[in-house]
Amino acid sequence: MATNLAIDDQLLVLAQNIGGIKTKKDTVNQALKEFVQRRKQKDIIDLFGEIKYDEDYDYKELRKRN
C-alpha cells in the first residue's frame, strides 16, 4: 500500500543509522513492528495483579503419577 507521509527526515536517518537499516521503507516498517510489540507488551504488563488465581490450585499434586 503506497502512502505519503511527512516524516522528520533527521529522525528517520537517525533511526536508520541506529538500526543499521539500509532503506527508509525498512526503517519505518521496523519502527512500526517495534511500536506494536511494545504496546502489546504493555497490555500484558497491565494485567499483572488483575488475574485472580485459584488458591487451592496445587501444581505439584498434578505432577503426581497414579
Side-chain angles (χ1 to χ4, degrees):
M1 165 181 21
T3 305
N4 291 326
L5 299 172
I7 298 175
D8 182 336
D9 199 47
Q10 288 179 333
L11 187 59
L12 184 57
V13 170
L14 179 60
Q16 213 173 339
N17 291 336
I18 289 172
I21 303 171
K22 293 183 180 181
T23 68
K24 291 180 179 181
K25 177 183 174 181
D26 288 343
T27 304
V28 171
N29 284 329
Q30 181 63 34
L32 288 171
K33 286 177 189 175
E34 290 181 19
F35 176 84
V36 169
Q37 182 181 22
R38 287 187 180 270
R39 289 295 172 113
K40 285 182 177 181
Q41 288 173 350
K42 182 188 175 304
D43 290 345
I44 291 169
I45 290 171
D46 288 345
L47 289 175
F48 286 113
E50 298 294 322
I51 299 173
K52 305 293 183 204
Y53 293 97
D54 182 2
E55 294 180 18
D56 296 328
Y57 179 77
D58 185 2
Y59 70 92
K60 290 182 181 179
E61 184 66 31
L62 295 174
R63 290 183 180 174
K64 292 181 182 176
R65 296 184 186 218
N66 294 330

